[in-house]
Amino acid sequence: MLALWLEDRSLRIRDDVPRPSPPPGEALVRVRMAGICNTDLELVKGYYPFTGIPGHEFVGHVEAAPGHDGWVGRRVVGEINAACHTCATCRAGRPTHCERRTVLGIAGRQGAFAEYLTLPVENLHEVPPGLSHEAATFVEPTAAALEIQRQAPIQATDQVVVIGDGKLGQLVAQTLALTGCALTVVGHHAAKLALLSARGIATAHAEALAPRSSDLVVECTGNADGLALALRLVRPRGTVVLKSTYAGNTTLDVSALVVDEVTLLGSRCGPFAPAIDLLVRGLVAPLALVSARYPLVQGLDAFAHAARRGATKVLLVNGPL
Ligand SMILES: [Zn+2]
Ligand SMILES: [Zn+2]
Protein backbone atom coordinates (compact mmCIF):
# COMPACT_ATOMS: atom_id res chain seq x y z
CA MET A 1 0.00 0.00 0.00
CA LEU A 2 0.88 3.66 -0.30
CA ALA A 3 2.15 5.32 2.87
CA LEU A 4 4.19 8.22 4.19
CA TRP A 5 7.24 6.79 5.93
CA LEU A 6 9.33 8.53 8.59
CA GLU A 7 12.83 7.27 9.24
CA ASP A 8 15.89 9.11 10.65
CA ARG A 9 13.99 12.42 10.71
CA SER A 10 13.25 12.12 7.03
CA LEU A 11 9.87 11.56 5.38
CA ARG A 12 9.32 9.77 2.09
CA ILE A 13 6.48 8.24 0.11
CA ARG A 14 6.51 4.45 -0.17
CA ASP A 15 4.28 2.28 -2.32
CA ASP A 16 5.64 -1.00 -1.02
CA VAL A 17 4.42 -1.06 2.57
CA PRO A 18 2.52 -4.31 3.23
CA ARG A 19 -1.18 -3.82 3.96
CA PRO A 20 -1.57 -4.60 7.69
CA SER A 21 -3.69 -7.51 8.80
CA PRO A 22 -5.62 -6.95 12.01
CA PRO A 23 -4.50 -9.01 15.03
CA PRO A 24 -7.22 -10.44 17.32
CA GLY A 25 -9.42 -7.67 18.72
CA GLU A 26 -8.41 -5.18 16.05
CA ALA A 27 -10.03 -3.79 12.91
CA LEU A 28 -8.60 -3.02 9.49
CA VAL A 29 -9.60 0.53 8.56
CA ARG A 30 -9.36 2.02 5.08
CA VAL A 31 -8.30 5.61 5.78
CA ARG A 32 -10.38 8.22 3.92
CA MET A 33 -8.84 11.40 5.30
CA ALA A 34 -6.18 12.29 7.86
CA GLY A 35 -5.04 15.55 9.41
CA ILE A 36 -1.47 16.74 9.95
CA CYS A 37 -0.95 17.89 13.53
CA ASN A 38 1.94 19.76 15.14
CA THR A 39 2.88 16.52 16.86
CA ASP A 40 3.55 15.05 13.39
CA LEU A 41 5.76 18.02 12.49
CA GLU A 42 7.62 17.61 15.81
CA LEU A 43 8.02 13.87 15.16
CA VAL A 44 9.79 14.67 11.90
CA LYS A 45 12.08 17.02 13.84
CA GLY A 46 12.79 14.13 16.18
CA TYR A 47 11.01 15.02 19.42
CA TYR A 48 10.31 11.33 19.93
CA PRO A 49 12.07 8.47 18.17
CA PHE A 50 9.58 6.91 15.77
CA THR A 51 10.16 4.96 12.61
CA GLY A 52 7.23 4.15 10.36
CA ILE A 53 3.94 5.73 9.31
CA PRO A 54 2.95 8.85 11.29
CA GLY A 55 -0.60 10.22 11.53
CA HIS A 56 -3.19 9.93 14.31
CA GLU A 57 -6.14 12.15 13.25
CA PHE A 58 -8.24 10.20 10.74
CA VAL A 59 -11.58 9.04 9.50
CA GLY A 60 -12.05 5.80 7.59
CA HIS A 61 -14.20 2.76 6.87
CA VAL A 62 -13.80 -0.58 8.61
CA GLU A 63 -12.98 -3.25 6.02
CA ALA A 64 -12.39 -6.17 8.34
CA ALA A 65 -12.78 -6.88 12.04
CA PRO A 66 -12.39 -10.59 12.74
CA GLY A 67 -14.79 -11.63 15.47
CA HIS A 68 -16.44 -8.20 15.42
CA ASP A 69 -18.15 -8.33 12.04
CA GLY A 70 -20.77 -5.79 13.06
CA TRP A 71 -18.14 -3.09 12.56
CA VAL A 72 -17.48 -3.92 8.91
CA GLY A 73 -18.56 -1.11 6.60
CA ARG A 74 -19.00 1.43 9.36
CA ARG A 75 -17.34 4.86 9.14
CA VAL A 76 -15.14 5.45 12.16
CA VAL A 77 -12.69 7.60 14.00
CA GLY A 78 -10.38 6.07 16.60
CA GLU A 79 -8.81 6.78 19.96
CA ILE A 80 -5.07 6.66 19.53
CA ASN A 81 -3.82 4.87 22.68
CA ALA A 82 -3.96 1.08 22.55
CA ALA A 83 -3.75 -0.27 26.11
CA CYS A 84 -2.75 -3.70 27.44
CA HIS A 85 -5.45 -3.87 30.17
CA THR A 86 -3.19 -5.97 32.40
CA CYS A 87 -0.52 -3.61 33.76
CA ALA A 88 -0.94 -1.84 37.11
CA THR A 89 -1.77 1.47 35.41
CA CYS A 90 -4.51 -0.10 33.29
CA ARG A 91 -5.94 -1.93 36.29
CA ALA A 92 -5.96 1.36 38.18
CA GLY A 93 -8.25 2.79 35.50
CA ARG A 94 -5.74 4.88 33.54
CA PRO A 95 -5.52 3.05 30.21
CA THR A 96 -4.33 6.11 28.25
CA HIS A 97 -1.23 5.95 30.45
CA CYS A 98 -0.77 2.16 30.06
CA GLU A 99 2.90 1.34 30.60
CA ARG A 100 2.86 -0.94 27.57
CA ARG A 101 0.64 1.18 25.33
CA THR A 102 1.17 1.78 21.67
CA VAL A 103 0.02 5.06 20.16
CA LEU A 104 -1.25 5.41 16.62
CA GLY A 105 1.44 6.97 14.44
CA ILE A 106 3.48 8.08 17.47
CA ALA A 107 4.79 5.11 19.44
CA GLY A 108 5.01 1.45 18.43
CA ARG A 109 2.03 1.52 16.03
CA GLN A 110 1.80 2.47 12.37
CA GLY A 111 -0.36 5.52 11.79
CA ALA A 112 -2.93 7.06 9.49
CA PHE A 113 -0.91 8.58 6.64
CA ALA A 114 -1.45 5.40 4.63
CA GLU A 115 -4.20 3.61 2.76
CA TYR A 116 -4.89 1.33 5.74
CA LEU A 117 -4.34 1.16 9.47
CA THR A 118 -5.33 -1.19 12.27
CA LEU A 119 -6.66 -0.26 15.69
CA PRO A 120 -8.34 -2.18 18.52
CA VAL A 121 -12.10 -2.37 17.95
CA GLU A 122 -12.58 -0.93 21.44
CA ASN A 123 -10.86 2.28 20.27
CA LEU A 124 -13.35 2.90 17.44
CA HIS A 125 -16.25 5.35 17.45
CA GLU A 126 -18.81 5.39 14.65
CA VAL A 127 -19.16 8.70 12.86
CA PRO A 128 -22.79 9.86 12.45
CA PRO A 129 -23.85 10.36 8.80
CA GLY A 130 -24.26 14.13 9.20
CA LEU A 131 -20.55 14.70 9.82
CA SER A 132 -18.29 15.20 6.79
CA HIS A 133 -14.95 13.41 6.45
CA GLU A 134 -13.27 16.81 6.93
CA ALA A 135 -15.07 17.54 10.19
CA ALA A 136 -14.55 13.95 11.41
CA THR A 137 -10.76 14.29 11.17
CA PHE A 138 -11.09 16.95 13.86
CA VAL A 139 -12.66 14.57 16.40
CA GLU A 140 -9.28 13.59 17.88
CA PRO A 141 -7.95 17.14 18.42
CA THR A 142 -11.38 18.31 19.64
CA ALA A 143 -11.33 15.49 22.19
CA ALA A 144 -7.85 16.61 23.24
CA ALA A 145 -9.18 20.14 23.70
CA LEU A 146 -12.06 18.83 25.87
CA GLU A 147 -9.59 17.07 28.16
CA ILE A 148 -8.76 20.48 29.67
CA GLN A 149 -12.28 20.79 31.10
CA ARG A 150 -12.13 17.25 32.46
CA GLN A 151 -8.89 18.05 34.30
CA ALA A 152 -9.73 21.59 35.45
CA PRO A 153 -13.45 22.27 35.87
CA ILE A 154 -14.18 25.81 34.65
CA GLN A 155 -16.64 28.24 36.21
CA ALA A 156 -18.55 30.82 34.19
CA THR A 157 -16.88 33.49 36.36
CA ASP A 158 -13.34 32.36 35.44
CA GLN A 159 -10.93 34.55 33.48
CA VAL A 160 -9.38 32.17 30.97
CA VAL A 161 -6.60 32.89 28.48
CA VAL A 162 -5.55 30.66 25.59
CA ILE A 163 -2.04 31.34 24.30
CA GLY A 164 -1.70 30.47 20.63
CA ASP A 165 -4.06 31.03 17.70
CA GLY A 166 -2.96 27.97 15.70
CA LYS A 167 -5.15 24.98 14.91
CA LEU A 168 -4.95 23.55 18.43
CA GLY A 169 -5.46 26.93 20.12
CA GLN A 170 -8.51 27.52 17.93
CA LEU A 171 -10.15 24.22 18.94
CA VAL A 172 -9.26 24.77 22.58
CA ALA A 173 -10.81 28.24 22.40
CA GLN A 174 -13.97 26.99 20.70
CA THR A 175 -14.49 24.32 23.37
CA LEU A 176 -13.69 26.66 26.29
CA ALA A 177 -16.07 29.31 24.91
CA LEU A 178 -18.91 26.82 25.45
CA THR A 179 -18.36 26.99 29.23
CA GLY A 180 -19.40 30.66 29.27
CA CYS A 181 -16.13 31.70 30.93
CA ALA A 182 -14.50 35.08 30.21
CA LEU A 183 -12.19 33.91 27.43
CA THR A 184 -9.38 35.71 25.60
CA VAL A 185 -7.06 34.23 22.98
CA VAL A 186 -3.55 35.62 22.57
CA GLY A 187 -2.03 35.37 19.10
CA HIS A 188 0.04 37.05 16.41
CA HIS A 189 -1.70 36.17 13.16
CA ALA A 190 -4.38 38.60 12.02
CA ALA A 191 -6.15 36.03 9.83
CA LYS A 192 -6.29 33.45 12.62
CA LEU A 193 -7.45 35.98 15.21
CA ALA A 194 -10.17 37.01 12.75
CA LEU A 195 -11.48 33.42 12.72
CA LEU A 196 -11.93 33.66 16.48
CA SER A 197 -13.52 37.11 16.39
CA ALA A 198 -15.99 35.79 13.83
CA ARG A 199 -17.13 33.31 16.47
CA GLY A 200 -17.48 36.01 19.11
CA ILE A 201 -14.29 35.02 20.93
CA ALA A 202 -12.20 37.91 22.29
CA THR A 203 -8.61 38.20 21.12
CA ALA A 204 -5.70 40.29 22.35
CA HIS A 205 -2.01 40.87 21.99
CA ALA A 206 -0.02 39.67 24.97
CA GLU A 207 0.93 43.17 26.14
CA ALA A 208 -2.73 44.13 26.54
CA LEU A 209 -3.38 41.57 29.30
CA ALA A 210 -2.87 42.26 33.00
CA PRO A 211 -0.22 40.08 34.60
CA ARG A 212 -1.18 37.75 37.49
CA SER A 213 -4.89 38.07 36.74
CA SER A 214 -6.05 34.92 34.93
CA ASP A 215 -7.64 31.98 36.74
CA LEU A 216 -6.62 29.53 34.02
CA VAL A 217 -4.11 29.88 31.20
CA VAL A 218 -3.86 27.26 28.44
CA GLU A 219 -0.52 27.19 26.63
CA CYS A 220 -1.00 25.98 23.04
CA THR A 221 2.14 27.26 21.30
CA GLY A 222 4.62 24.62 22.41
CA ASN A 223 7.39 27.16 22.71
CA ALA A 224 9.24 28.61 25.69
CA ASP A 225 7.93 32.14 25.10
CA GLY A 226 4.35 30.90 25.29
CA LEU A 227 5.06 29.13 28.57
CA ALA A 228 6.79 32.21 30.04
CA LEU A 229 3.77 34.32 29.07
CA ALA A 230 1.39 31.80 30.66
CA LEU A 231 3.32 31.96 33.93
CA ARG A 232 3.20 35.77 33.80
CA LEU A 233 -0.57 35.90 33.26
CA VAL A 234 -1.73 33.31 35.79
CA ARG A 235 -2.91 34.57 39.17
CA PRO A 236 -1.66 33.18 42.47
CA ARG A 237 -3.33 29.77 43.02
CA GLY A 238 -4.35 29.76 39.36
CA THR A 239 -3.72 26.96 36.86
CA VAL A 240 -1.52 26.73 33.78
CA VAL A 241 -2.41 23.94 31.34
CA LEU A 242 0.31 22.72 28.98
CA LYS A 243 -1.53 21.51 25.90
CA SER A 244 1.26 21.29 23.36
CA THR A 245 4.22 19.00 22.83
CA TYR A 246 7.54 20.71 23.54
CA ALA A 247 10.57 19.89 21.46
CA GLY A 248 13.67 20.00 23.61
CA ASN A 249 13.97 21.17 27.20
CA THR A 250 12.47 24.32 28.63
CA THR A 251 13.71 26.38 31.58
CA LEU A 252 11.26 27.93 34.01
CA ASP A 253 11.34 29.80 37.31
CA VAL A 254 9.95 27.16 39.66
CA SER A 255 10.27 29.23 42.82
CA ALA A 256 7.63 31.62 41.44
CA LEU A 257 5.33 28.60 41.00
CA VAL A 258 5.89 27.64 44.63
CA VAL A 259 5.42 31.11 46.08
CA ASP A 260 2.27 31.73 44.02
CA GLU A 261 1.03 28.14 44.53
CA VAL A 262 0.36 27.77 40.82
CA THR A 263 -0.92 24.44 39.50
CA LEU A 264 0.87 23.23 36.39
CA LEU A 265 -1.20 20.70 34.45
CA GLY A 266 -0.01 18.55 31.55
CA SER A 267 -2.84 17.68 29.17
CA ARG A 268 -3.00 15.20 26.30
CA CYS A 269 -5.74 12.95 24.88
CA GLY A 270 -9.42 13.43 25.69
CA PRO A 271 -12.94 11.98 25.40
CA PHE A 272 -14.22 11.18 21.88
CA ALA A 273 -17.97 10.87 22.46
CA PRO A 274 -18.54 14.49 23.56
CA ALA A 275 -16.19 15.69 20.80
CA ILE A 276 -18.30 13.91 18.17
CA ASP A 277 -21.45 15.34 19.74
CA LEU A 278 -20.16 18.95 19.64
CA LEU A 279 -19.04 18.58 16.01
CA VAL A 280 -22.37 17.04 14.95
CA ARG A 281 -24.29 19.87 16.63
CA GLY A 282 -22.04 22.46 15.00
CA LEU A 283 -21.00 23.86 18.40
CA VAL A 284 -17.39 23.27 17.38
CA ALA A 285 -16.90 24.36 13.76
CA PRO A 286 -13.53 23.23 12.40
CA LEU A 287 -13.83 23.64 8.63
CA ALA A 288 -12.53 27.22 8.60
CA LEU A 289 -9.32 25.77 10.03
CA VAL A 290 -8.56 23.72 6.89
CA SER A 291 -5.69 25.32 4.92
CA ALA A 292 -5.39 22.71 2.18
CA ARG A 293 -6.13 19.18 1.01
CA TYR A 294 -3.59 16.93 -0.73
CA PRO A 295 -3.83 13.40 -2.09
CA LEU A 296 -1.79 10.95 0.00
CA VAL A 297 0.72 10.53 -2.84
CA GLN A 298 1.61 14.24 -2.42
CA GLY A 299 2.17 13.77 1.29
CA LEU A 300 5.58 15.46 1.26
CA ASP A 301 4.06 18.62 -0.24
CA ALA A 302 1.33 18.42 2.39
CA PHE A 303 3.89 18.32 5.19
CA ALA A 304 5.81 21.24 3.69
CA HIS A 305 2.54 23.19 3.53
CA ALA A 306 1.62 22.32 7.13
CA ALA A 307 5.03 23.54 8.33
CA ARG A 308 4.62 26.92 6.64
CA ARG A 309 4.11 29.94 8.85
CA GLY A 310 0.44 30.80 9.07
CA ALA A 311 -0.80 27.38 7.90
CA THR A 312 -3.59 25.72 9.83
CA LYS A 313 -4.88 22.18 9.23
CA VAL A 314 -3.63 20.33 6.15
CA LEU A 315 -5.57 17.19 5.23
CA LEU A 316 -4.37 14.09 3.36
CA VAL A 317 -7.01 12.44 1.26
CA ASN A 318 -7.29 8.86 -0.01
CA GLY A 319 -9.39 8.90 -3.15
CA PRO A 320 -10.89 11.84 -5.02
CA LEU A 321 -10.15 15.26 -3.50
ZN1 LIG B 1 -2.62 15.56 17.02
ZN1 LIG C 1 -1.56 -1.45 30.44
Side-chain angles (χ1 to χ4, degrees), residues 104-134:
L104 185 69
I106 295 174
R109 175 175 288 272
Q110 302 298 337
F113 300 146
E115 291 178 90
Y116 292 90
L117 60 79
T118 64
L119 258 187
V121 167
E122 66 179 11
N123 286 42
L124 302 179
H125 294 257
E126 185 162 23
V127 179
L131 206 60
S132 66
H133 287 345
E134 282 87 351

Side-chain angles (χ1 to χ4, degrees), residues 83-87 90 98-100:
C84 77
H85 296 298
T86 56
C87 73
C90 281
C98 167
E99 291 151 33
R100 287 195 285 263

